[in-house]
Amino acid sequence: MVTAAQAKAKYDQLVDRYEDIFFYVSDVGRDLVEFANPAPGSRLLDVGAGRGAVARAALAKGCAVTAIDASPLMMRRLADEHPEISASEGDLYRTGFADGAFDLVTAGFVMQVLDDPAAALAEFRRVLAPGGTIALSLERQSVGRLAWFQDLSLEFFAPGGAAEPPPDQPGPLTHDRLDELLVEAGFAHPVREAVEIPTPLADPPALWDWMMPRGLAEMIPALPPGRGEEFHRRFLEGAQRMHDDGGIVLEFAATLHRAYYR
Ligand SMILES: C[S@@+](CC[C@H](N)C(=O)[O-])C[C@H]1O[C@@H](n2cnc3c(N)ncnc32)[C@H](O)[C@@H]1O
């Protein structure tokens, strides 16, 4: 969960690697725009636009695209790559755009990182024209067949067990909760669609290579001497069992949400 300042620090660092690491965002960005089905010429605001997975797809559909993100480096890259997109640094809680300025607001994989998704939806509704559309994608959290990896990570990186979240801390945003929030924010007719993105990897070393730039490379050096090697050995054993038991497949999934401002 991040504020705009935290998002800026985190996503500025990721600017070069973001769409390599999160390789599925480009496909889901296209899916989200297809799902929203904007008429050519629609005024579209993509919030938390990142490298532009959704904004690029909207541009290809003939929309007039405005993009904002807390990360100035992401926005500079997007503006350089697609000068037709009006891309600028901005806070999605206070976009500064006029009431009713857009026909469609999109947010790809953004709602799940926000501290206050209800406040964000209120702002998105404010900048939508009556009859406008909101379209959001939400990552579906599922450990699935990587449960062994989660157990191994807890053993090495959180000995004694994972800390319980404080009782007043909200859990991860679910697709049901997001639909409720849409209705509470005054949006009508929420509908959603599931997207599955299974990603097969060849063998245990390929899984290791895939995991390293996604956090392991920072976590392993923090282990006591010798534990890093032990983690690597146990990781490869776990991955080999997964490989033997139906193959190494990463089970990414998302839901697309669409609703209308009455
Ligand atoms: C998971 S990325 C998604 C990027 C892009 N929409 C995509 O589909 O690939 C979340 C993005 O939300 C942005 N973000 C988070 N909080 C924000 C805020 N308060 N205002 C503007 N952008 C924010 C981050 O900088 C980051 O680029």
Side-chain angles (χ1 to χ4, degrees), residues 2-4 7 11 18-19 25 47-50 53-54 69-71 74 90-93 108-110 113-114:
V2 290
T3 63
Y11 288 95
Y18 177 74
E19 290 202 358
V25 298
V47 294
V54 181
D69 197 284
S71 160
M74 294 269 199
D91 184 353
L92 58 79
Y93 292 110
F109 295 125
V110 173
V113 307
L114 300 180

PDB file of all heavy atoms in Angstrom, residues 2-4 7 11 18-19 25 47-50 53-54 69-71 74 90-93 108-110 113-114, ligand 1:
ATOM      1  N   VAL A   2       0.646   2.160  -0.893  1.00  0.00           N
ATOM      2  CA  VAL A   2       1.586   3.275  -1.060  1.00  0.00           C
ATOM      3  C   VAL A   2       0.888   4.626  -1.139  1.00  0.00           C
ATOM      4  O   VAL A   2      -0.225   4.740  -1.622  1.00  0.00           O
ATOM      5  CB  VAL A   2       2.427   3.109  -2.342  1.00  0.00           C
ATOM      6  CG1 VAL A   2       3.414   1.982  -2.221  1.00  0.00           C
ATOM      7  CG2 VAL A   2       1.543   2.933  -3.563  1.00  0.00           C
ATOM      8  N   THR A   3       1.586   5.653  -0.660  1.00  0.00           N
ATOM      9  CA  THR A   3       1.184   7.027  -0.943  1.00  0.00           C
ATOM     10  C   THR A   3       1.822   7.409  -2.277  1.00  0.00           C
ATOM     11  O   THR A   3       2.676   6.681  -2.798  1.00  0.00           O
ATOM     12  CB  THR A   3       1.724   7.972   0.142  1.00  0.00           C
ATOM     13  OG1 THR A   3       3.161   7.913   0.080  1.00  0.00           O
ATOM     14  CG2 THR A   3       1.254   7.567   1.530  1.00  0.00           C
ATOM     15  N   ALA A   4       1.448   8.593  -2.780  1.00  0.00           N
ATOM     16  CA  ALA A   4       2.036   9.026  -4.056  1.00  0.00           C
ATOM     17  C   ALA A   4       3.550   9.162  -3.923  1.00  0.00           C
ATOM     18  O   ALA A   4       4.299   8.788  -4.837  1.00  0.00           O
ATOM     19  CB  ALA A   4       1.397  10.349  -4.489  1.00  0.00           C
ATOM     20  N   ALA A   7       5.043   5.744  -4.013  1.00  0.00           N
ATOM     21  CA  ALA A   7       4.926   5.201  -5.373  1.00  0.00           C
ATOM     22  C   ALA A   7       5.996   5.817  -6.267  1.00  0.00           C
ATOM     23  O   ALA A   7       6.634   5.129  -7.064  1.00  0.00           O
ATOM     24  CB  ALA A   7       3.526   5.482  -5.924  1.00  0.00           C
ATOM     25  N   TYR A  11       8.443   3.362  -8.129  1.00  0.00           N
ATOM     26  CA  TYR A  11       8.256   3.145  -9.562  1.00  0.00           C
ATOM     27  C   TYR A  11       9.287   3.903 -10.394  1.00  0.00           C
ATOM     28  O   TYR A  11       9.595   3.473 -11.507  1.00  0.00           O
ATOM     29  CB  TYR A  11       6.811   3.447  -9.960  1.00  0.00           C
ATOM     30  CG  TYR A  11       5.885   2.360  -9.438  1.00  0.00           C
ATOM     31  CD1 TYR A  11       5.215   2.504  -8.241  1.00  0.00           C
ATOM     32  CD2 TYR A  11       5.757   1.158 -10.120  1.00  0.00           C
ATOM     33  CE1 TYR A  11       4.398   1.490  -7.739  1.00  0.00           C
ATOM     34  CE2 TYR A  11       4.952   0.142  -9.631  1.00  0.00           C
ATOM     35  CZ  TYR A  11       4.279   0.311  -8.441  1.00  0.00           C
ATOM     36  OH  TYR A  11       3.490  -0.702  -7.959  1.00  0.00           O
ATOM     37  N   TYR A  18      10.243  -2.294 -15.633  1.00  0.00           N
ATOM     38  CA  TYR A  18       8.879  -2.571 -15.167  1.00  0.00           C
ATOM     39  C   TYR A  18       8.125  -3.583 -16.049  1.00  0.00           C
ATOM     40  O   TYR A  18       7.582  -4.572 -15.569  1.00  0.00           O
ATOM     41  CB  TYR A  18       8.086  -1.254 -15.040  1.00  0.00           C
ATOM     42  CG  TYR A  18       6.669  -1.504 -14.626  1.00  0.00           C
ATOM     43  CD1 TYR A  18       6.365  -1.860 -13.316  1.00  0.00           C
ATOM     44  CD2 TYR A  18       5.627  -1.451 -15.549  1.00  0.00           C
ATOM     45  CE1 TYR A  18       5.071  -2.136 -12.934  1.00  0.00           C
ATOM     46  CE2 TYR A  18       4.336  -1.725 -15.170  1.00  0.00           C
ATOM     47  CZ  TYR A  18       4.062  -2.062 -13.864  1.00  0.00           C
ATOM     48  OH  TYR A  18       2.773  -2.365 -13.505  1.00  0.00           O
ATOM     49  N   GLU A  19       8.112  -3.335 -17.365  1.00  0.00           N
ATOM     50  CA  GLU A  19       7.281  -4.212 -18.210  1.00  0.00           C
ATOM     51  C   GLU A  19       7.993  -5.524 -18.553  1.00  0.00           C
ATOM     52  O   GLU A  19       7.372  -6.423 -19.108  1.00  0.00           O
ATOM     53  CB  GLU A  19       6.782  -3.460 -19.449  1.00  0.00           C
ATOM     54  CG  GLU A  19       5.746  -2.419 -19.048  1.00  0.00           C
ATOM     55  CD  GLU A  19       4.813  -1.967 -20.151  1.00  0.00           C
ATOM     56  OE1 GLU A  19       4.960  -2.421 -21.304  1.00  0.00           O
ATOM     57  OE2 GLU A  19       3.930  -1.137 -19.851  1.00  0.00           O
ATOM     58  N   VAL A  25       1.413  -7.091 -17.927  1.00  0.00           N
ATOM     59  CA  VAL A  25       0.590  -5.878 -17.868  1.00  0.00           C
ATOM     60  C   VAL A  25       0.212  -5.380 -19.258  1.00  0.00           C
ATOM     61  O   VAL A  25      -0.873  -4.819 -19.446  1.00  0.00           O
ATOM     62  CB  VAL A  25       1.265  -4.742 -17.052  1.00  0.00           C
ATOM     63  CG1 VAL A  25       1.468  -5.146 -15.614  1.00  0.00           C
ATOM     64  CG2 VAL A  25       2.559  -4.254 -17.695  1.00  0.00           C
ATOM     65  N   VAL A  47      -5.118   6.563 -15.021  1.00  0.00           N
ATOM     66  CA  VAL A  47      -4.457   6.964 -13.762  1.00  0.00           C
ATOM     67  C   VAL A  47      -3.498   5.866 -13.320  1.00  0.00           C
ATOM     68  O   VAL A  47      -3.754   4.676 -13.527  1.00  0.00           O
ATOM     69  CB  VAL A  47      -5.492   7.246 -12.647  1.00  0.00           C
ATOM     70  CG1 VAL A  47      -6.337   8.447 -12.984  1.00  0.00           C
ATOM     71  CG2 VAL A  47      -6.347   6.043 -12.347  1.00  0.00           C
ATOM     72  N   GLY A  48      -2.375   6.256 -12.716  1.00  0.00           N
ATOM     73  CA  GLY A  48      -1.365   5.261 -12.336  1.00  0.00           C
ATOM     74  C   GLY A  48      -0.893   4.555 -13.596  1.00  0.00           C
ATOM     75  O   GLY A  48      -0.761   3.335 -13.638  1.00  0.00           O
ATOM     76  N   ALA A  49      -0.597   5.339 -14.625  1.00  0.00           N
ATOM     77  CA  ALA A  49      -0.411   4.781 -15.976  1.00  0.00           C
ATOM     78  C   ALA A  49       0.865   3.970 -16.124  1.00  0.00           C
ATOM     79  O   ALA A  49       0.979   3.150 -17.040  1.00  0.00           O
ATOM     80  CB  ALA A  49      -0.413   5.913 -16.997  1.00  0.00           C
ATOM     81  N   GLY A  50       1.862   4.200 -15.256  1.00  0.00           N
ATOM     82  CA  GLY A  50       3.109   3.436 -15.355  1.00  0.00           C
ATOM     83  C   GLY A  50       3.768   3.632 -16.704  1.00  0.00           C
ATOM     84  O   GLY A  50       3.871   4.746 -17.235  1.00  0.00           O
ATOM     85  N   ALA A  53       0.770   0.660 -20.276  1.00  0.00           N
ATOM     86  CA  ALA A  53       0.138  -0.546 -20.830  1.00  0.00           C
ATOM     87  C   ALA A  53      -1.298  -0.263 -21.290  1.00  0.00           C
ATOM     88  O   ALA A  53      -1.701  -0.698 -22.384  1.00  0.00           O
ATOM     89  CB  ALA A  53       0.142  -1.662 -19.775  1.00  0.00           C
ATOM     90  N   VAL A  54      -2.044   0.482 -20.485  1.00  0.00           N
ATOM     91  CA  VAL A  54      -3.438   0.782 -20.838  1.00  0.00           C
ATOM     92  C   VAL A  54      -3.483   1.966 -21.803  1.00  0.00           C
ATOM     93  O   VAL A  54      -4.213   1.944 -22.802  1.00  0.00           O
ATOM     94  CB  VAL A  54      -4.255   1.099 -19.563  1.00  0.00           C
ATOM     95  CG1 VAL A  54      -5.716   1.388 -19.918  1.00  0.00           C
ATOM     96  CG2 VAL A  54      -4.156  -0.045 -18.551  1.00  0.00           C
ATOM     97  N   ASP A  69       0.741   9.725 -13.441  1.00  0.00           N
ATOM     98  CA  ASP A  69       1.354   8.748 -12.539  1.00  0.00           C
ATOM     99  C   ASP A  69       2.197   9.515 -11.529  1.00  0.00           C
ATOM    100  O   ASP A  69       2.711  10.599 -11.827  1.00  0.00           O
ATOM    101  CB  ASP A  69       2.233   7.756 -13.324  1.00  0.00           C
ATOM    102  CG  ASP A  69       2.551   6.504 -12.516  1.00  0.00           C
ATOM    103  OD1 ASP A  69       3.407   6.579 -11.604  1.00  0.00           O
ATOM    104  OD2 ASP A  69       1.927   5.461 -12.777  1.00  0.00           O
ATOM    105  N   ALA A  70       2.348   8.894 -10.340  1.00  0.00           N
ATOM    106  CA  ALA A  70       3.195   9.512  -9.311  1.00  0.00           C
ATOM    107  C   ALA A  70       4.664   9.513  -9.720  1.00  0.00           C
ATOM    108  O   ALA A  70       5.456  10.281  -9.189  1.00  0.00           O
ATOM    109  CB  ALA A  70       3.032   8.751  -7.991  1.00  0.00           C
ATOM    110  N   SER A  71       5.042   8.649 -10.645  1.00  0.00           N
ATOM    111  CA  SER A  71       6.447   8.517 -11.044  1.00  0.00           C
ATOM    112  C   SER A  71       6.765   9.428 -12.236  1.00  0.00           C
ATOM    113  O   SER A  71       6.325   9.163 -13.363  1.00  0.00           O
ATOM    114  CB  SER A  71       6.735   7.053 -11.429  1.00  0.00           C
ATOM    115  OG  SER A  71       7.896   6.981 -12.233  1.00  0.00           O
ATOM    116  N   MET A  74       8.494   7.476 -15.157  1.00  0.00           N
ATOM    117  CA  MET A  74       7.580   6.683 -15.998  1.00  0.00           C
ATOM    118  C   MET A  74       6.861   7.607 -16.990  1.00  0.00           C
ATOM    119  O   MET A  74       6.703   7.275 -18.168  1.00  0.00           O
ATOM    120  CB  MET A  74       6.523   5.989 -15.123  1.00  0.00           C
ATOM    121  CG  MET A  74       7.061   4.929 -14.186  1.00  0.00           C
ATOM    122  SD  MET A  74       7.033   3.305 -14.960  1.00  0.00           S
ATOM    123  CE  MET A  74       7.142   2.236 -13.526  1.00  0.00           C
ATOM    124  N   GLY A  90       1.410  13.156 -11.541  1.00  0.00           N
ATOM    125  CA  GLY A  90       0.232  13.626 -10.824  1.00  0.00           C
ATOM    126  C   GLY A  90      -0.185  12.636  -9.767  1.00  0.00           C
ATOM    127  O   GLY A  90       0.200  11.469  -9.808  1.00  0.00           O
ATOM    128  N   ASP A  91      -0.972  13.139  -8.813  1.00  0.00           N
ATOM    129  CA  ASP A  91      -1.483  12.298  -7.728  1.00  0.00           C
ATOM    130  C   ASP A  91      -2.923  11.942  -8.061  1.00  0.00           C
ATOM    131  O   ASP A  91      -3.758  12.830  -8.249  1.00  0.00           O
ATOM    132  CB  ASP A  91      -1.413  13.079  -6.411  1.00  0.00           C
ATOM    133  CG  ASP A  91      -1.832  12.236  -5.225  1.00  0.00           C
ATOM    134  OD1 ASP A  91      -2.312  11.092  -5.415  1.00  0.00           O
ATOM    135  OD2 ASP A  91      -1.695  12.726  -4.095  1.00  0.00           O
ATOM    136  N   LEU A  92      -3.222  10.664  -8.141  1.00  0.00           N
ATOM    137  CA  LEU A  92      -4.555  10.258  -8.578  1.00  0.00           C
ATOM    138  C   LEU A  92      -5.641  10.612  -7.567  1.00  0.00           C
ATOM    139  O   LEU A  92      -6.824  10.615  -7.904  1.00  0.00           O
ATOM    140  CB  LEU A  92      -4.574   8.765  -8.934  1.00  0.00           C
ATOM    141  CG  LEU A  92      -4.162   7.742  -7.872  1.00  0.00           C
ATOM    142  CD1 LEU A  92      -5.260   7.473  -6.881  1.00  0.00           C
ATOM    143  CD2 LEU A  92      -3.755   6.454  -8.576  1.00  0.00           C
ATOM    144  N   TYR A  93      -5.263  10.929  -6.324  1.00  0.00           N
ATOM    145  CA  TYR A  93      -6.286  11.354  -5.355  1.00  0.00           C
ATOM    146  C   TYR A  93      -6.725  12.795  -5.595  1.00  0.00           C
ATOM    147  O   TYR A  93      -7.788  13.202  -5.173  1.00  0.00           O
ATOM    148  CB  TYR A  93      -5.743  11.247  -3.925  1.00  0.00           C
ATOM    149  CG  TYR A  93      -5.507   9.832  -3.454  1.00  0.00           C
ATOM    150  CD1 TYR A  93      -4.222   9.352  -3.265  1.00  0.00           C
ATOM    151  CD2 TYR A  93      -6.593   8.990  -3.179  1.00  0.00           C
ATOM    152  CE1 TYR A  93      -4.000   8.060  -2.816  1.00  0.00           C
ATOM    153  CE2 TYR A  93      -6.380   7.697  -2.728  1.00  0.00           C
ATOM    154  CZ  TYR A  93      -5.088   7.238  -2.548  1.00  0.00           C
ATOM    155  OH  TYR A  93      -4.873   5.956  -2.099  1.00  0.00           O
ATOM    156  N   GLY A 108      -5.024   0.453 -14.557  1.00  0.00           N
ATOM    157  CA  GLY A 108      -4.556  -0.930 -14.698  1.00  0.00           C
ATOM    158  C   GLY A 108      -3.676  -1.306 -13.528  1.00  0.00           C
ATOM    159  O   GLY A 108      -2.621  -0.696 -13.326  1.00  0.00           O
ATOM    160  N   PHE A 109      -4.111  -2.278 -12.736  1.00  0.00           N
ATOM    161  CA  PHE A 109      -3.333  -2.799 -11.590  1.00  0.00           C
ATOM    162  C   PHE A 109      -2.932  -1.688 -10.616  1.00  0.00           C
ATOM    163  O   PHE A 109      -1.804  -1.672 -10.118  1.00  0.00           O
ATOM    164  CB  PHE A 109      -2.083  -3.548 -12.073  1.00  0.00           C
ATOM    165  CG  PHE A 109      -2.398  -4.783 -12.852  1.00  0.00           C
ATOM    166  CD1 PHE A 109      -1.895  -4.969 -14.132  1.00  0.00           C
ATOM    167  CD2 PHE A 109      -3.204  -5.768 -12.308  1.00  0.00           C
ATOM    168  CE1 PHE A 109      -2.192  -6.115 -14.859  1.00  0.00           C
ATOM    169  CE2 PHE A 109      -3.502  -6.921 -13.017  1.00  0.00           C
ATOM    170  CZ  PHE A 109      -2.996  -7.086 -14.293  1.00  0.00           C
ATOM    171  N   VAL A 110      -3.855  -0.768 -10.377  1.00  0.00           N
ATOM    172  CA  VAL A 110      -3.565   0.366  -9.493  1.00  0.00           C
ATOM    173  C   VAL A 110      -4.336   0.243  -8.178  1.00  0.00           C
ATOM    174  O   VAL A 110      -3.773   0.471  -7.100  1.00  0.00           O
ATOM    175  CB  VAL A 110      -3.914   1.700 -10.198  1.00  0.00           C
ATOM    176  CG1 VAL A 110      -3.779   2.873  -9.240  1.00  0.00           C
ATOM    177  CG2 VAL A 110      -3.028   1.901 -11.418  1.00  0.00           C
ATOM    178  N   VAL A 113      -2.837  -1.252  -5.002  1.00  0.00           N
ATOM    179  CA  VAL A 113      -1.687  -0.671  -4.286  1.00  0.00           C
ATOM    180  C   VAL A 113      -2.088   0.548  -3.459  1.00  0.00           C
ATOM    181  O   VAL A 113      -1.240   1.142  -2.796  1.00  0.00           O
ATOM    182  CB  VAL A 113      -0.516  -0.296  -5.242  1.00  0.00           C
ATOM    183  CG1 VAL A 113      -0.102  -1.467  -6.108  1.00  0.00           C
ATOM    184  CG2 VAL A 113      -0.830   0.930  -6.087  1.00  0.00           C
ATOM    185  N   LEU A 114      -3.362   0.942  -3.503  1.00  0.00           N
ATOM    186  CA  LEU A 114      -3.763   2.195  -2.855  1.00  0.00           C
ATOM    187  C   LEU A 114      -4.185   1.993  -1.409  1.00  0.00           C
ATOM    188  O   LEU A 114      -4.851   1.009  -1.076  1.00  0.00           O
ATOM    189  CB  LEU A 114      -4.919   2.832  -3.634  1.00  0.00           C
ATOM    190  CG  LEU A 114      -4.625   3.184  -5.091  1.00  0.00           C
ATOM    191  CD1 LEU A 114      -5.864   3.798  -5.735  1.00  0.00           C
ATOM    192  CD2 LEU A 114      -3.432   4.126  -5.210  1.00  0.00           C
TER     193      LEU A 114
HETATM  194  C1  LIG B   1       1.298  -1.699 -10.514  1.00  0.00           C
HETATM  195  S1  LIG B   1       1.652  -0.191 -11.329  1.00  0.00           S
HETATM  196  C2  LIG B   1       0.544  -0.248 -12.722  1.00  0.00           C
HETATM  197  C3  LIG B   1       1.051   0.551 -13.902  1.00  0.00           C
HETATM  198  C4  LIG B   1       0.193   0.471 -15.170  1.00  0.00           C
HETATM  199  N1  LIG B   1      -1.143   0.979 -14.969  1.00  0.00           N
HETATM  200  C5  LIG B   1       0.149  -0.930 -15.733  1.00  0.00           C
HETATM  201  O1  LIG B   1      -0.959  -1.466 -15.943  1.00  0.00           O
HETATM  202  O2  LIG B   1       1.207  -1.480 -15.988  1.00  0.00           O
HETATM  203  C6  LIG B   1       0.859   0.975 -10.242  1.00  0.00           C
HETATM  204  C7  LIG B   1       1.132   2.432 -10.659  1.00  0.00           C
HETATM  205  O3  LIG B   1       0.338   3.289  -9.821  1.00  0.00           O
HETATM  206  C8  LIG B   1       1.102   4.451  -9.562  1.00  0.00           C
HETATM  207  N2  LIG B   1       0.572   5.099  -8.344  1.00  0.00           N
HETATM  208  C9  LIG B   1       0.454   4.585  -7.110  1.00  0.00           C
HETATM  209  N3  LIG B   1      -0.073   5.476  -6.266  1.00  0.00           N
HETATM  210  C10 LIG B   1      -0.305   6.603  -6.998  1.00  0.00           C
HETATM  211  C11 LIG B   1      -0.844   7.895  -6.706  1.00  0.00           C
HETATM  212  N4  LIG B   1      -1.279   8.220  -5.484  1.00  0.00           N
HETATM  213  N5  LIG B   1      -0.949   8.783  -7.712  1.00  0.00           N
HETATM  214  C12 LIG B   1      -0.525   8.483  -8.961  1.00  0.00           C
HETATM  215  N6  LIG B   1      -0.006   7.279  -9.296  1.00  0.00           N
HETATM  216  C13 LIG B   1       0.102   6.361  -8.333  1.00  0.00           C
HETATM  217  C14 LIG B   1       2.523   3.945  -9.410  1.00  0.00           C
HETATM  218  O4  LIG B   1       3.496   4.973  -9.568  1.00  0.00           O
HETATM  219  C15 LIG B   1       2.584   2.857 -10.480  1.00  0.00           C
HETATM  220  O5  LIG B   1       3.101   3.335 -11.700  1.00  0.00           O
END
